[in-house]
PDB file of all heavy atoms in Angstrom:
ATOM      1  N   PHE A 309       1.512   5.255   0.526  1.00  0.00           N
ATOM      2  CA  PHE A 309       0.949   6.296   1.401  1.00  0.00           C
ATOM      3  C   PHE A 309       0.788   7.649   0.599  1.00  0.00           C
ATOM      4  O   PHE A 309       0.457   8.692   1.121  1.00  0.00           O
ATOM      5  CB  PHE A 309       1.816   6.521   2.640  1.00  0.00           C
ATOM      6  CG  PHE A 309       1.644   5.397   3.616  1.00  0.00           C
ATOM      7  CD1 PHE A 309       2.589   4.310   3.555  1.00  0.00           C
ATOM      8  CD2 PHE A 309       0.572   5.366   4.493  1.00  0.00           C
ATOM      9  CE1 PHE A 309       2.459   3.270   4.508  1.00  0.00           C
ATOM     10  CE2 PHE A 309       0.484   4.253   5.357  1.00  0.00           C
ATOM     11  CZ  PHE A 309       1.401   3.207   5.433  1.00  0.00           C
ATOM     12  N   PRO A 344     -29.712  22.072  -0.267  1.00  0.00           N
ATOM     13  CA  PRO A 344     -29.309  22.611  -1.514  1.00  0.00           C
ATOM     14  C   PRO A 344     -29.343  21.619  -2.722  1.00  0.00           C
ATOM     15  O   PRO A 344     -28.299  21.186  -3.199  1.00  0.00           O
ATOM     16  CB  PRO A 344     -27.893  23.184  -1.246  1.00  0.00           C
ATOM     17  CG  PRO A 344     -27.323  22.257  -0.272  1.00  0.00           C
ATOM     18  CD  PRO A 344     -28.464  21.744   0.581  1.00  0.00           C
ATOM     19  N   GLY A 358     -22.448   8.869  -8.426  1.00  0.00           N
ATOM     20  CA  GLY A 358     -22.207   7.494  -8.525  1.00  0.00           C
ATOM     21  C   GLY A 358     -20.764   7.170  -8.537  1.00  0.00           C
ATOM     22  O   GLY A 358     -20.244   6.612  -9.519  1.00  0.00           O
ATOM     23  N   HIS A 365     -23.620   2.368 -16.525  1.00  0.00           N
ATOM     24  CA  HIS A 365     -24.784   3.068 -16.172  1.00  0.00           C
ATOM     25  C   HIS A 365     -24.577   4.564 -15.626  1.00  0.00           C
ATOM     26  O   HIS A 365     -25.408   5.082 -14.920  1.00  0.00           O
ATOM     27  CB  HIS A 365     -25.518   2.254 -15.026  1.00  0.00           C
ATOM     28  CG  HIS A 365     -25.966   0.879 -15.491  1.00  0.00           C
ATOM     29  ND1 HIS A 365     -25.190  -0.243 -15.299  1.00  0.00           N
ATOM     30  CD2 HIS A 365     -26.991   0.444 -16.156  1.00  0.00           C
ATOM     31  CE1 HIS A 365     -25.813  -1.285 -15.763  1.00  0.00           C
ATOM     32  NE2 HIS A 365     -26.848  -0.859 -16.389  1.00  0.00           N
ATOM     33  N   GLY A 367     -21.875   5.857 -14.038  1.00  0.00           N
ATOM     34  CA  GLY A 367     -21.123   5.987 -12.783  1.00  0.00           C
ATOM     35  C   GLY A 367     -19.623   6.426 -13.082  1.00  0.00           C
ATOM     36  O   GLY A 367     -19.201   6.352 -14.297  1.00  0.00           O
ATOM     37  N   ILE A 395     -24.314   9.123   1.699  1.00  0.00           N
ATOM     38  CA  ILE A 395     -25.593   8.238   1.829  1.00  0.00           C
ATOM     39  C   ILE A 395     -26.125   7.971   0.458  1.00  0.00           C
ATOM     40  O   ILE A 395     -26.613   6.836   0.198  1.00  0.00           O
ATOM     41  CB  ILE A 395     -26.620   8.938   2.777  1.00  0.00           C
ATOM     42  CG1 ILE A 395     -25.994   8.993   4.218  1.00  0.00           C
ATOM     43  CG2 ILE A 395     -27.958   8.155   2.743  1.00  0.00           C
ATOM     44  CD1 ILE A 395     -26.807   9.901   5.062  1.00  0.00           C
ATOM     45  N   MET A 402     -25.337   0.210  -3.865  1.00  0.00           N
ATOM     46  CA  MET A 402     -26.054  -1.182  -3.581  1.00  0.00           C
ATOM     47  C   MET A 402     -26.876  -1.533  -4.769  1.00  0.00           C
ATOM     48  O   MET A 402     -26.985  -2.730  -5.076  1.00  0.00           O
ATOM     49  CB  MET A 402     -26.879  -0.926  -2.322  1.00  0.00           C
ATOM     50  CG  MET A 402     -26.012  -0.793  -1.066  1.00  0.00           C
ATOM     51  SD  MET A 402     -27.017  -0.435   0.460  1.00  0.00           S
ATOM     52  CE  MET A 402     -27.953  -1.991   0.684  1.00  0.00           C
ATOM     53  N   CYS A 420     -26.838   8.597 -10.614  1.00  0.00           N
ATOM     54  CA  CYS A 420     -25.538   9.094 -10.959  1.00  0.00           C
ATOM     55  C   CYS A 420     -25.453  10.616 -11.240  1.00  0.00           C
ATOM     56  O   CYS A 420     -24.471  11.303 -10.829  1.00  0.00           O
ATOM     57  CB  CYS A 420     -24.872   8.231 -12.117  1.00  0.00           C
ATOM     58  SG  CYS A 420     -24.551   6.566 -11.573  1.00  0.00           S
ATOM     59  N   LYS A 459     -39.826   4.100   9.304  1.00  0.00           N
ATOM     60  CA  LYS A 459     -38.331   4.207   9.494  1.00  0.00           C
ATOM     61  C   LYS A 459     -38.078   5.574  10.142  1.00  0.00           C
ATOM     62  O   LYS A 459     -38.700   6.551   9.879  1.00  0.00           O
ATOM     63  CB  LYS A 459     -37.669   4.131   8.125  1.00  0.00           C
ATOM     64  CG  LYS A 459     -37.821   2.825   7.366  1.00  0.00           C
ATOM     65  CD  LYS A 459     -37.230   1.705   8.198  1.00  0.00           C
ATOM     66  CE  LYS A 459     -37.451   0.313   7.426  1.00  0.00           C
ATOM     67  NZ  LYS A 459     -36.713  -0.752   8.101  1.00  0.00           N
ATOM     68  N   LEU A 518     -44.791   4.098   6.023  1.00  0.00           N
ATOM     69  CA  LEU A 518     -45.402   3.161   4.934  1.00  0.00           C
ATOM     70  C   LEU A 518     -46.668   2.611   5.426  1.00  0.00           C
ATOM     71  O   LEU A 518     -46.753   1.832   6.463  1.00  0.00           O
ATOM     72  CB  LEU A 518     -44.430   2.033   4.581  1.00  0.00           C
ATOM     73  CG  LEU A 518     -43.079   2.565   4.118  1.00  0.00           C
ATOM     74  CD1 LEU A 518     -41.801   1.706   4.673  1.00  0.00           C
ATOM     75  CD2 LEU A 518     -42.980   2.524   2.660  1.00  0.00           C
ATOM     76  N   PHE A 582       2.712  30.875  21.131  1.00  0.00           N
ATOM     77  CA  PHE A 582       2.705  30.359  22.378  1.00  0.00           C
ATOM     78  C   PHE A 582       3.071  28.770  22.349  1.00  0.00           C
ATOM     79  O   PHE A 582       2.261  28.037  21.646  1.00  0.00           O
ATOM     80  CB  PHE A 582       1.403  30.613  23.115  1.00  0.00           C
ATOM     81  CG  PHE A 582       1.203  32.031  23.520  1.00  0.00           C
ATOM     82  CD1 PHE A 582       0.565  32.886  22.669  1.00  0.00           C
ATOM     83  CD2 PHE A 582       1.702  32.424  24.748  1.00  0.00           C
ATOM     84  CE1 PHE A 582       0.358  34.219  23.000  1.00  0.00           C
ATOM     85  CE2 PHE A 582       1.412  33.760  25.181  1.00  0.00           C
ATOM     86  CZ  PHE A 582       0.876  34.645  24.278  1.00  0.00           C
ATOM     87  N   ALA A 584       2.636  26.367  24.373  1.00  0.00           N
ATOM     88  CA  ALA A 584       1.601  25.464  24.853  1.00  0.00           C
ATOM     89  C   ALA A 584       0.547  25.183  23.689  1.00  0.00           C
ATOM     90  O   ALA A 584       0.033  24.111  23.477  1.00  0.00           O
ATOM     91  CB  ALA A 584       0.886  25.987  26.038  1.00  0.00           C
ATOM     92  N   ARG A 659     -20.859  20.740  15.797  1.00  0.00           N
ATOM     93  CA  ARG A 659     -22.219  20.154  15.895  1.00  0.00           C
ATOM     94  C   ARG A 659     -22.480  19.087  14.887  1.00  0.00           C
ATOM     95  O   ARG A 659     -23.012  18.079  15.071  1.00  0.00           O
ATOM     96  CB  ARG A 659     -23.284  21.251  15.744  1.00  0.00           C
ATOM     97  CG  ARG A 659     -23.389  22.162  16.969  1.00  0.00           C
ATOM     98  CD  ARG A 659     -24.567  23.172  16.826  1.00  0.00           C
ATOM     99  NE  ARG A 659     -24.345  24.194  15.895  1.00  0.00           N
ATOM    100  CZ  ARG A 659     -24.864  24.262  14.676  1.00  0.00           C
ATOM    101  NH1 ARG A 659     -25.688  23.352  14.271  1.00  0.00           N
ATOM    102  NH2 ARG A 659     -24.697  25.340  13.780  1.00  0.00           N
ATOM    103  N   ILE A 683     -12.060 -11.835  19.640  1.00  0.00           N
ATOM    104  CA  ILE A 683     -12.276 -12.951  20.407  1.00  0.00           C
ATOM    105  C   ILE A 683     -12.385 -14.242  19.599  1.00  0.00           C
ATOM    106  O   ILE A 683     -11.896 -15.312  19.805  1.00  0.00           O
ATOM    107  CB  ILE A 683     -13.568 -12.746  21.221  1.00  0.00           C
ATOM    108  CG1 ILE A 683     -13.316 -11.698  22.338  1.00  0.00           C
ATOM    109  CG2 ILE A 683     -14.045 -14.096  21.953  1.00  0.00           C
ATOM    110  CD1 ILE A 683     -14.595 -11.185  22.981  1.00  0.00           C
TER     111      ILE A 683
END
Side-chain angles (χ1 to χ4, degrees):
F309 290 97
H365 297 96
I395 293 166
M402 291 173 70
C420 289
K459 298 296 182 177
L518 301 140
F582 289 91
R659 289 187 287 105
I683 292 168

